[in-house]
Amino acid sequence: MRRKVLIVEDEPDIARLVKNHLSDINCDADIAPNGADARAFFDNSEYQLIVLDLMLPDTDGLTLCRHFRAAEGYVPILMLTAKSSELDRVLGLEMGADDYLTKPFSIPELIARIKALFRRVEAFHKQPEPSKAGEVLQFNEMLIDVDKRQIRVKDKAIDLTAREFELLLFFARHPGRVFNRVQLLDQVWGYNHDGYEHTVNSHINRLRAKIEDDPSSPTYVHTVWGVGYKFADSTGG
Ligand code: CA
């Protein structure tokens, strides 16, 4: 399967190097040396991945990230940054990059990250939500009764709002998988959400306060630094 990648990078040597190595893993790539070209490519074509340099001559990668994220659908973004001090901005502003590499990076590392992003996104699209009658999910000391929309932790009923329940159920149906905030907004709030990424954070905080013994050291909903959240892998009871 051939995939299409958009490389947004103003250093021609790096852009060409990345493009050549992408062709080794069956990817065609367009190169945009500035923000204006990047928007034009993005608005007129479909990509399975964007490699995005943070510092560009006419704009910066975070502004472009916002543009890409405002579009329908979900394209993973691998951010390239020149200085590790810029990581705070990339991650702290939660602009929705899925992963990042600090320059100078090694090509094997770049290719490994790109393959991991492809795998993550493709696994994500493969699984429709099954709704089985009488479905009950169990994790450690938590029981989720899907039909009754009830949850019990240590045999005590927990009162969740509809959205908190949907969020918990989505996590519980994908244990061990990492989701960033944009993916959670799309999946739990729906594609036409007008929410913001901090909406996800505040719901997760409220959910943790209700279901976790110690919300600062959660058993169920874990923070994955710089990426998002994942639900406990363990289904042991
Ligand atoms: Ca640059």
Side-chain angles (χ1 to χ4, degrees):
M1 157 189 187
R2 280 197 91 76
R3 300 183 178 92
K4 215 167 162 198
V5 177
L6 178 60
I7 303 169
V8 187
E9 169 62 79
D10 57 318
E11 292 167 67
D13 291 346
I14 295 180
R16 264 197 306 273
L17 187 70
V18 173
K19 180 173 173 149
N20 288 343
H21 285 275
L22 279 171
S23 80
D24 294 343
I25 57 167
N26 276 333
C27 295
D28 298 315
D30 290 326
I31 295 174
N34 55 54
D37 286 4
R39 284 169 191 258
F41 273 122
F42 180 80
D43 293 344
N44 291 296
S45 195
E46 262 192 40
Y47 295 98
Q48 279 77 53
L49 179 81
I50 299 170
V51 177
L52 178 58
D53 184 28
L54 186 65
M55 303 299 279
L56 295 162
D58 58 340
T59 183
D60 68 82
L62 296 181
T63 307
L64 278 179
C65 234
R66 222 171 289 139
H67 178 75
F68 299 147
R69 284 290 176 253
E72 214 175 296
Y74 190 87
V75 185
I77 296 173
L78 176 67
M79 191 82 94
L80 304 178
T81 75
K83 299 189 289 259
S84 56
S85 60
E86 288 168 342
L87 284 182
D88 289 348
R89 290 175 65 219
V90 174
L91 303 172
L93 288 176
E94 295 172 356
M95 288 321 304
D98 295 272
D99 202 356
Y100 61 90
L101 272 178
T102 309
K103 291 178 181 175
F105 51 84
S106 79
I107 288 293
E109 177 72 12
L110 175 77
I111 297 300
R113 299 291 188 95
I114 288 173
K115 285 180 172 171
L117 282 175
F118 284 148
R119 274 198 303 274
R120 204 193 291 169
V121 168
E122 277 149 26
F124 182 73
H125 287 302
K126 226 173 272 172
Q127 284 206 356
E129 306 299 298
S131 186
K132 290 171 257 157
E135 184 183 3
V136 176
L137 303 169
Q138 180 173 8
F139 297 89
N140 297 319
E141 296 181 284
M142 179 194 294
L143 278 175
I144 305 171
D145 187 323
V146 179
D147 287 347
K148 293 183 185 156
R149 298 177 71 84
Q150 286 173 349
I151 90 152
R152 302 183 78 82
V153 177
K154 292 183 177 165
D155 216 28
K156 182 170 158 281
I158 307 286
D159 205 17
L160 296 183
T161 66
R163 191 72 79 190
E164 288 162 359
F165 183 85
E166 289 301 326
L167 182 63
L168 177 65
L169 182 59
F170 179 73
F171 273 127
R173 281 175 167 165
H174 304 89
R177 293 248 300 272
V178 179
F179 296 101
N180 68 31
R181 292 168 186 81
V182 174
Q183 289 168 327
L184 291 170
L185 277 174
D186 286 346
Q187 292 295 319
V188 178
W189 277 258
Y191 273 96
N192 297 319
H193 63 75
D194 52 7
Y196 297 93
E197 294 176 41
H198 60 73
T199 305
V200 177
N201 300 28
S202 60
H203 274 79
I204 284 185
N205 289 341
R206 283 203 296 275
L207 184 59
R208 278 177 174 158
K210 292 181 180 180
I211 66 173
E212 303 281 2
D213 274 348
D214 176 4
S216 64
S217 171
T219 306
Y220 301 106
V221 180
H222 299 275
T223 298
V224 181
W225 190 83
V227 183
Y229 301 97
K230 75 167 184 174
F231 199 73
D233 304 80
S234 155
T235 53

